[in-house]
Amino acid sequence: MNTKNKLLNSPISRRNVVKSGAAGGLFAAVGGLSLPFNAKAIDNTQNSTSAEEKAVWSSCTVNCGSRCLLRLHVRDDEVYWVESDTTGKDEYGNHQVRACLRGRSIRRRMNHPDRLKYPMKRVGKRGEGKFVRISWEEALDTVGNSLRDILQNYGNEAVHVLYGTGVDGGNITNSNVPYRLMNSCGGFLSRYGSYSTAQIRAGMNYLYGSQEANSPDDIANTKLVVMFGNNPAETRMSGGGVTYYVEQARERSNARMIVIDPRYNDTASGREDEWLPIRPGTDGALAAALAYVIITEDMVDQEFVDKYCIGYDEKTLPASAPQNGHYKAYILGQGADGIAKTPQWAAKITGIPADKIIKLAREIGQAKPAYIVQGWGPQRHSNGEQTVRAIAMLAIITGNVGISGGNSGCREGTYDSGVEWFPMLDNPVKTQISVFTWTDAIERGTEMTAIHDGIKGKDKLDVPIKFLWCYASNTLINQHSDIARTHEILQDDSKCEMIVGIDHFMTASAKYCDILLPDLMPTEQEDLIPSESAGNMSYMILGQPATSAKFERKPIYEILSEIAKRLGPDVEQKFTEGRSQHEWVKYLCEKSRERYPDMPTYEEMKTVGIFKHKCPDEHVIGFKAFRDNPQANPLKTPSGKIEIYSESLAEIAKTWQLAPDDVIDPLPIYTEGFESHTDSLNKKYPLQMTGFHYKARTHSSYGNIDILKQACRQEIWINPIDAKARGINQGDMVKVFNDRGEVHIPAKVTPRIMPGVTAMGQGAWLDADMFGKKVDQGGCINVLTTQRPSPLAKGNPQHTNLVEIAKL
Ligand SMILES: Nc1nc2c(c(=O)[nH]1)N[C@H]1C(S)=C(S)[C@@H](COP(=O)(O)OP(=O)(O)OC[C@H]3O[C@@H](n4cnc5c(=O)[nH]c(N)nc54)[C@H](O)[C@@H]3O)O[C@H]1N2
Ligand SMILES: Nc1nc2c(c(=O)[nH]1)N[C@H]1C(S)=C(S)[C@@H](COP(=O)(O)OP(=O)(O)OC[C@H]3O[C@@H](n4cnc5c(=O)[nH]c(N)nc54)[C@H](O)[C@@H]3O)O[C@H]1N2
Ligand code: SF4
Ligand SMILES: [Mo]
């Protein structure tokens, strides 16, 4: 262990507990209170020998939408037991941030025999997985030389940092840190949007100008919760996350909860008042019919739409809009299509009976206030941008925006952790691609334009991607759509000349990298970690390294600093600012303390682990300032109001080059999108297949942990009616296929999914010979998904798929 590592490794030694006797004096600061601290640990100032036992605070930093405190118990320099938050009294509002099944199995990831140990270079074809061990010197020189050559030959726009979220929760270790290195040497081709939220962000940007929302604790003040494609019981699983708030807040308000999802998801699971199974991609039609009933039965908050909105009816319709171009006319059948959006009309599209639609509309119209919320399932579709706005319309016409107990129709809000971030510096390159279109930017970069491909900052791309950073990302293969197409594009290494992978495992993506570097896990490093989706109680965690660095693994900060050094002393200086990782952490702690004077000092944080702080306003209320005073606090839309009719979208619809069935509309109308349930492809592939984010993994992270695989099997959900028609029984191996590929997987025959629809947890590890038959045995959904982007966001429609299933 070198001196730097020793510094980072200041363990909490049990042996010193008694001696120091400091336990009584310690506190976990929560909302300014000093609470007794019940953990056993204590003196951090001593270094221990490897035979000692110790316990350190750390965190699970994968991208699951939560963030949990871990208490790692270490013996002989190895984690042997994982506890979670043991601080405080665990009362709601000052509760423990306890880990889920994945975080609790983190030692199986840390100690996994398959972990990458040494730097390697590729010797076979991309994807073959043939590598040889090289020295760090050779690896870093190769990366540094390649980066310098590519910057010289093609310019900074040829370098892209691939979307990756393996360390979404890190700060200095964050998945985005290669940004900082690139911004220290002239910048890089960046991206807008994310695989998580491309369509909802684009849609809400035109409607509201941003995505504010009420925090889930405010459900304590509501009468009705309506969840569209939202499953926090699986997607925000932390004891400090949304699922806990929903449960606790509903206990206080006794609010009814309606779950709208093609699957009877875990958030429902007996806790819902009603589950409405809906055909994927049709929430826009449901929303329109709900609006029809709300309008025709006089339940619209007219004062609200008059004062705060553009284009609800004639009164506020912009002059540039066509006659009857307003929302009310569209709903009542007086607009361009002449179709009244009746419950009967929507029943045929959505599969939800008309009487259920009428009943739900009355509930939404009469419950004051109502918490209408959407997850990101409805938007991860080919018509997602239209759908998200259509859903939000329900909150708008009922005046539920900006008030306690209401919500904007966006995903739950949260109180910011307020952490000081490791600065990423400014990117001098202003050109951006949509996150989902990087394969095109390799394949046909210079053909990509603003009006055809959504290039931003320039009319067209001047240079294709030549260099890819793939840090903490499995999006190079596993998490990007249409794996066979990506495989083909990456085969030609004269196109993208260098792919640098930095990961812990030989993932599907790692196999396609040219240089592969093993880094430490965040649990093996020091970092100041922010909370995520944590309702009205935010927190920060100071993580300490549980073990020393094993084999030849290095922390990402050191790896990037070494590469910066190879690009020149000025680059190195810009990247490091002369600080070590430890010095940065101390600095970030100090800066964070300037915002929260009651935050423990760096030294105290090492002992208490977590600093919890409550939202000063009790609950986060999305768009409250706007609601209270719209003149003083206009929205970020061009008019400053809620743009139900968007002139910007009308302009885009007129000027962009779109495929024939791609629709962008100034109003939140229902459009089917491509590969919908009415597509002619449906004759060949009659089943709609959505993905979902699964408790077995965080995407692909934790996907190789045996006990998690056993606890939560990878299966394809299919309704008994569809299964019977195909002679499929529970547990049978089936093939799921379309023109893009084939997956072999066991069937889960269950009435928890509606007929005509199937679903597979996304993120399972690809297990296919991509040089042979390409048939996947791992249950990896992206063998079947398309790379065709959605019309406006150019985002990933990864829940829109048509397939057929047959018994094997
Ligand atoms: N355990 C776990 N948690 C995670 C993740 C993970 O991989 N594992 N990933 C994290 C990340 S990065 C993200 S972005 C979020 C994702 O969070 P979400 O995008 O909200 O999660 P999904 O599971 O994709 O979709 C939510 C629900 O929408 C349903 N759904 C699909 N299509 C439709 C539709 O057309 N209409 C309606 N009404 N419902 C539909 C799905 O069945 C699912 O139950 O989760 C985060 N949390
Ligand atoms: N079909 C379909 N595809 C999807 C989705 C979907 O719903 N359906 N969801 C999309 C969404 S929302 C997202 S956010 C993306 C997520 O896609 P990714 O961001 O690629 O997420 P992961 O699959 O978890 O991969 C993270 C990688 O980081 C590695 N990793 C974890 N921790 C560390 C670390 O500390 N250091 C390093 N170096 N590596 C680490 C893991 O081993 C893994 O290889 O997937 C997208 N793909
Ligand atoms: S996966 Fe998410 S919920 Fe589970 S322990 Fe990690 S941070 Fe917490
Ligand atoms: Mo995501």
Side-chain angles (χ1 to χ4, degrees):
M1 209 197 293
N2 61 29
T3 358
K4 197 160 136 205
N5 274 339
K6 258 192 206 146
L7 244 187
L8 289 175
N9 257 320
S10 16
I12 295 171
S13 162
R14 276 218 184 130
R15 215 182 277 167
N16 290 322
V17 170
V18 189
K19 263 193 245 160
S20 81
L26 294 170
F27 57 89
V30 180
L33 302 172
S34 286
L35 298 168
F37 176 71
N38 66 4
K40 299 163 203 121
I42 294 335
D43 183 30
N44 313 299
T45 53
Q46 313 280 315
N47 286 319
S48 64
T49 63
S50 67
E52 264 182 319
E53 282 207 21
K54 61 174 180 173
V56 301
W57 293 116
S58 190
S59 170
C60 176
T61 51
V62 292
N63 179 17
C64 71
S66 292
R67 188 74 49 242
C68 299
L69 183 65
L70 299 176
R71 182 90 176 140
L72 301 177
H73 294 264
V74 183
R75 186 191 294 143
D76 295 334
D77 206 22
E78 193 162 290
V79 176
Y80 71 96
W81 175 39
V82 179
E83 262 187 307
S84 188
D85 191 351
T86 51
T87 66
K89 286 191 180 151
D90 197 26
E91 290 158 346
Y92 177 56
N94 171 21
H95 43 272
Q96 293 175 345
V97 180
R98 296 206 295 256
C100 80
L101 70 170
R102 299 183 297 279
R104 285 172 194 272
S105 65
I106 202 163
R107 72 183 179 89
R108 289 166 201 264
R109 257 174 85 219
M110 297 175 70
N111 302 338
H112 203 293
D114 294 347
R115 258 187 84 174
L116 301 177
K117 300 178 177 68
Y118 313 102
M120 291 190 286
K121 74 173 178 199
R122 176 174 64 84
V123 289
K125 287 186 194 146
R126 282 189 181 152
E128 268 187 324
K130 290 186 186 151
F131 288 87
V132 291
R133 181 176 168 182
I134 54 175
S135 68
W136 269 108
E137 208 57 25
E138 182 184 347
L140 296 166
D141 287 347
T142 309
V143 175
N145 291 338
S146 164
L147 186 54
R148 195 181 317 101
D149 287 353
I150 281 167
L151 291 177
Q152 254 162 28
N153 298 339
Y154 303 100
N156 288 66
E157 222 175 81
V159 178
H160 186 60
V161 180
L162 190 66
Y163 179 88
T165 64
V167 209
D168 193 54
N171 194 337
I172 295 176
T173 52
N174 189 278
S175 305
N176 289 338
V177 278
Y179 288 10
R180 184 177 163 96
L181 173 64
M182 291 316 303
N183 291 341
S184 305
C185 63
F188 64 104
L189 175 70
S190 62
R191 47 183 154 77
Y192 63 89
S194 72
Y195 280 76
S196 314
T197 60
Q199 288 91 320
I200 193 168
R201 194 186 300 191
M204 293 306 182
N205 205 23
Y206 290 98
L207 183 68
Y208 284 123
S210 61
Q211 290 188 66
E212 290 184 23
N214 293 35
S215 50
D217 34 273
D218 193 36
I219 287 174
N221 299 312
T222 200
K223 299 234 165 63
L224 176 71
V225 179
V226 186
M227 292 207 174
F228 285 87
N230 192 19
N231 185 18
E234 254 180 298
T235 63
R236 268 98 178 95
M237 285 180 85
S238 160
V242 175
T243 189
Y244 180 64
Y245 284 99
V246 171
E247 186 190 304
Q248 290 293 319
R250 269 184 80 215
E251 264 180 31
R252 283 154 179 82
S253 61
N254 214 10
R256 277 173 64 75
M257 183 167 85
I258 317 286
V259 172
I260 301 163
D261 197 306
R263 293 186 312 131
Y264 184 65
N265 64 31
D266 284 17
T267 304
S269 279
R271 285 175 284 265
E272 86 293 3
D273 291 282
E274 193 165 11
W275 168 47
L276 293 176
I278 187 168
R279 201 168 269 147
T282 67
D283 298 73
L286 172 64
L290 293 169
Y292 181 90
V293 178
I294 291 168
I295 293 170
T296 54
E297 297 191 1
D298 206 17
M299 293 182 284
V300 172
D301 186 337
Q302 189 70 40
E303 223 175 291
F304 181 81
V305 292
D306 288 348
K307 184 171 173 190
Y308 296 94
C309 304
I310 298 285
Y312 168 73
D313 57 18
E314 203 64 51
K315 271 178 271 173
T316 54
L317 189 65
S320 67
Q323 217 196 343
N324 277 351
H326 52 87
Y327 180 74
K328 191 174 173 186
Y330 164 71
I331 297 293
L332 297 180
Q334 297 149 0
D337 67 0
I339 299 168
K341 308 304 174 307
T342 62
Q344 291 73 21
W345 166 83
K348 283 196 208 100
I349 299 169
T350 60
I352 303 175
D355 60 326
K356 296 242 181 203
I357 297 177
I358 295 167
K359 183 169 160 267
L360 177 59
R362 289 179 184 155
E363 274 195 70
I364 293 175
Q366 287 162 10
K368 295 256 181 291
Y371 190 94
I372 297 166
V373 61
Q374 57 183 309
W376 297 329
Q379 60 96 45
R380 207 171 287 106
H381 280 278
S382 63
N383 60 356
E385 302 94 341
Q386 291 290 128
T387 302
V388 296
R389 289 188 291 145
I391 293 171
M393 284 310 298
L394 300 171
I396 292 166
I397 60 175
T398 52
N400 272 302
V401 182
I403 57 169
S404 180
N407 188 28
S408 58
C410 301
R411 165 154 241 158
E412 311 87 12
T414 187
Y415 172 52
D416 194 321
S417 79
V419 83
E420 178 79 15
W421 285 98
F422 184 41
M424 288 301 123
L425 310 174
D426 282 337
N427 185 356
V429 175
K430 298 302 168 205
T431 324
Q432 291 191 313
I433 56 171
S434 147
V435 66
F436 186 55
T437 58
W438 62 271
T439 22
D440 281 344
I442 293 175
E443 176 74 357
R444 53 173 194 93
T446 54
E447 291 168 18
M448 292 174 77
T449 66
I451 57 171
H452 187 271
D453 305 286
I455 299 296
K456 288 192 181 169
K458 255 191 186 172
D459 291 339
K460 65 178 282 292
L461 265 197
D462 290 326
V463 54
I465 293 173
K466 289 287 177 188
F467 186 109
L468 267 182
W469 287 104
C470 183
Y471 166 54
S473 172
N474 205 351
T475 306
L476 188 65
I477 287 288
N478 216 78
Q479 297 306 109
H480 190 49
S481 294
D482 197 347
I483 286 172
R485 179 172 191 252
T486 313
H487 169 84
E488 282 312 312
I489 290 172
L490 296 181
Q491 281 318 295
D492 184 349
D493 53 17
S494 72
K495 283 199 162 136
C496 183
E497 295 177 13
M498 171 59 79
I499 308 176
V500 180
I502 307 166
D503 208 298
H504 301 142
F505 292 103
M506 188 59 82
T507 62
S509 295
K511 290 183 188 161
Y512 286 79
C513 293
D514 302 315
I515 294 285
L516 195 49
L517 308 175
D519 72 339
L520 292 179
M521 287 192 177
T523 45
E524 296 157 341
Q525 303 177 56
E526 184 177 50
D527 204 355
L528 181 65
I529 308 284
S531 63
E532 215 191 327
S533 303
N536 62 357
M537 189 195 80
S538 274
Y539 51 90
M540 294 172 216
I541 294 169
L542 181 65
Q544 290 295 310
T547 64
S548 63
K550 311 265 178 77
F551 300 95
E552 289 190 8
R553 296 166 193 143
K554 282 185 196 291
I556 183 71
Y557 184 74
E558 192 181 323
I559 295 173
L560 295 181
S561 303
E562 284 291 332
I563 293 168
K565 194 200 267 171
R566 284 162 171 77
L567 296 171
D570 51 329
V571 178
E572 186 188 13
Q573 173 57 29
K574 264 193 190 160
F575 181 76
T576 64
E577 293 180 38
R579 292 190 180 100
S580 68
Q581 179 165 353
H582 174 65
E583 286 162 344
W584 269 111
V585 173
K586 286 189 84 164
Y587 168 82
L588 297 176
C589 273
E590 278 157 27
K591 294 297 269 185
S592 302
R593 281 192 84 222
E594 288 173 13
R595 295 179 196 166
Y596 301 98
D598 54 343
M599 179 178 168
T601 62
Y602 165 79
E603 286 300 332
E604 289 163 343
M605 279 294 285
K606 282 206 316 198
T607 315
V608 299
I610 190 165
F611 165 60
K612 300 173 183 171
H613 52 101
K614 284 207 67 177
C615 176
D617 299 329
E618 189 61 29
H619 306 291
V620 176
I621 311 291
F623 301 119
K624 183 175 189 306
F626 168 68
R627 177 92 192 225
D628 291 350
N629 188 344
Q631 275 77 38
N633 309 298
L635 297 183
K636 291 188 189 108
T637 54
S639 63
K641 294 192 174 184
I642 301 172
E643 299 202 346
I644 299 173
Y645 181 97
S646 161
E647 289 184 286
S648 313
L649 283 176
E651 184 59 24
I652 289 176
K654 256 188 274 169
T655 48
W656 280 21
Q657 295 167 348
L658 296 173
D661 50 351
D662 272 358
V663 178
I664 297 175
D665 198 277
L667 284 180
I669 65 168
Y670 168 66
T671 65
E672 285 176 344
F674 55 80
E675 228 174 297
S676 77
H677 66 287
T678 60
D679 196 305
S680 56
L681 193 66
N682 166 321
K683 293 198 182 60
K684 202 168 159 197
Y685 302 119
L687 296 169
Q688 285 183 284
M689 180 186 66
T690 72
F692 61 92
H693 292 234
Y694 191 25
K695 58 189 168 245
R697 302 174 292 270
T698 299
H699 311 290
S700 68
S701 297
Y702 287 101
N704 54 343
I705 304 305
D706 50 2
I707 53 164
L708 294 177
K709 284 202 223 180
Q710 286 154 14
C712 318
R713 286 164 47 116
Q714 182 66 4
E715 305 160 309
I716 180 131
W717 294 37
I718 180 167
N719 184 276
I721 295 171
D722 296 318
K724 194 168 175 219
R726 291 165 177 77
I728 295 167
N729 292 311
Q730 168 66 20
D732 282 352
M733 279 302 285
V734 296
K735 64 171 178 177
V736 187
F737 59 103
N738 60 19
D739 288 342
R740 293 181 286 265
E742 183 173 321
V743 173
H744 293 183
I745 184 172
K748 175 189 177 93
V749 180
T750 171
R752 286 181 63 178
I753 189 152
M754 70 186 286
V757 184
T758 64
M760 202 190 282
Q762 65 91 17
W765 286 35
L766 177 74
D767 178 9
D769 175 8
M770 294 309 293
F771 295 90
K773 288 201 169 136
K774 300 187 175 41
V775 174
D776 169 58
Q777 311 285 342
C780 179
I781 191 171
N782 282 319
V783 166
L784 301 163
T785 50
T786 178
Q787 281 190 17
R788 177 171 169 182
S790 66
L792 176 66
K794 306 297 176 200
N796 45 315
Q798 286 171 309
H799 288 354
T800 299
N801 308 285
L802 291 175
V803 299
E804 178 56 296
I805 299 184
K807 190 170 166 167
L808 273 174

